[in-house]
Amino acid sequence: MNLLHINQDVTVDGGGVARMIREFAPPLSEQGVAVHAATAQTPDTLPSGIDRHASVSAIMEAGVKGDLLFDVLDRWDIDVVHVHEIDNVDLIHELVGRVPVVLHLHNYSYWCPGQELFYGATEERCPLSLGWKCVPNAYHKRCNDRHPKRLYGSLRSTKKRMDLFEEDVRFIVSSTFLEDRATEAGVPAGKIDIVPYAVKASRFDGNGKALMGDLDPGFVMYAGRLSHTKGVPHLVRAMADLPAASRPKLVVAGDGHARDETEAAIAACGIEEQTELLGWCQGDELSWLYENCSLLVVPSVWDEVFGIVGLEAMAAKKPVVAYDVGGISQWLVDGETGYLVPPKDEEELSARIQELLENTEQAEQMGRRGYERFRDHFTVREQAQNLLGVYEDVIDNA
């Protein structure tokens, strides 16, 4: 089987989707799949397990013809295309009919012009799909870009994405929650397969190097983007409510446009000396952080599609405390591998963090149960096998 991934990037700078492509490639190759990639970015070195790469700028340029991509399909004799996060929706429509297409829904962009189904002004979930209300909501509820030209562009692009619901395309989602939202938006249930995200266990083998000499083990950790939807100020205020004498350090591994908002919350709570903003971390440094924290907190206030950082914590045998939003309950079992907390309940969030910090035996037990759940359901090898099953089914039914 010749598989072609189409995404904006496959390098370490490409985020979680790029990492998924890289980590799934070796086990797929072991199953006889020749894995290829077409991206807008050109990697310095080809990731392990990926046979060939093509640079196709048209992937991220709306309306641009994909002649180079179609040439790649023919020259490499591609059997199935796996489309991830790309801007050129017209290109996806052109692919349909030429080759079996699998579309991976990594966010809500196929029916939400703002991509997040989230009202920034009120920190509330949006229950809608594309419709006329998206225009006033963009201005009053801050769920999309308010520049008229860009707003119109996002509405038009979303309509083209929704048109794909009726095409001969298979959709992959990571959680039952996302499956439900997709079917509500109009994706036929028979076209959806659930393949959860996964993590390579060898990333957490105890060999990660220390990020800095003065960062002692036992800290509370957040990992991910700093955006309004991620709710980091909620975590900051929850940490500030812990007893000052025993309060551990809060380590934030990530960056983004809401860094100023995060820093302002830290200053307002007066915990600057007990907080480390490390910026983006990856590789051995990130592994060391997971292995040496007491627990991970996921304070997202939007409906997380999945929340892969939770799997990383479970692979490192650490418990997780998270707001109960979106697909997080797909992997976090409340009371067994950590705690689910009602969204935006900072008092309960603080109480659950304190409970695990004070009861280390309980925290270790949850961490072990989390690792067992990760090992049984969320390893790269197992989910690569599930992904292969989708590819084979799509090809057989083409």
Side-chain angles (χ1 to χ4, degrees), residues 280-306:
W280 287 114
C281 300
Q282 55 196 9
D284 287 344
E285 293 178 338
L286 188 58
S287 297
W288 185 91
L289 290 172
Y290 278 113
E291 290 165 356
N292 289 275
C293 70
S294 291
L295 63 137
L296 176 80
V297 182
V298 185
S300 296
V301 292
W302 78 304
D303 282 327
E304 287 278 0
V305 170
F306 188 81

Side-chain angles (χ1 to χ4, degrees), residues 72-221:
V72 166
L73 295 179
D74 295 335
R75 286 191 291 110
W76 294 352
D77 194 23
I78 298 300
D79 296 302
V80 59
V81 167
H82 190 158
V83 179
H84 298 274
E85 295 182 317
I86 70 174
D87 290 342
N88 193 342
V89 188
D90 293 324
L91 190 61
I92 305 175
H93 280 278
E94 289 187 70
L95 285 169
V96 177
R98 291 175 178 256
V99 64
V101 174
V102 174
L103 275 177
H104 208 131
L105 303 180
H106 295 288
N107 53 39
Y108 307 108
S109 63
Y110 277 81
W111 59 91
C112 171
Q115 301 189 1
E116 295 181 329
L117 289 174
F118 181 77
Y119 298 143
T122 59
E123 289 192 353
E124 293 177 325
R125 305 167 178 178
C126 172
L128 307 174
S129 299
L130 176 68
W132 68 267
K133 289 185 178 180
C134 293
V135 176
N137 283 349
Y139 292 94
H140 298 298
K141 298 188 176 181
R142 290 196 288 114
C143 57
N144 200 353
D145 195 311
R146 288 173 286 180
H147 186 284
K149 185 176 181 180
R150 290 190 288 271
L151 175 57
Y152 171 75
S154 69
L155 296 170
R156 187 168 179 268
S157 176
T158 304
K159 175 60 171 65
K160 290 181 179 181
R161 292 177 189 272
M162 293 187 73
D163 289 342
L164 288 163
F165 297 171
E166 306 303 321
E167 299 287 350
D168 187 14
V169 172
R170 186 73 68 87
F171 296 86
I172 290 179
V173 298
S174 57
S175 63
T176 53
F177 172 83
L178 185 54
E179 179 187 34
D180 291 343
R181 295 308 301 263
T183 54
E184 289 171 5
V187 181
K191 291 185 176 183
I192 301 176
D193 291 284
I194 300 176
V195 180
Y197 291 127
V199 170
K200 189 164 62 174
S202 60
R203 288 172 53 196
F204 307 96
D205 55 9
N207 294 321
K209 62 183 180 181
L211 189 91
M212 55 180 65
D214 60 351
L215 189 56
D216 296 325
F219 48 86
V220 172
M221 180 178 172

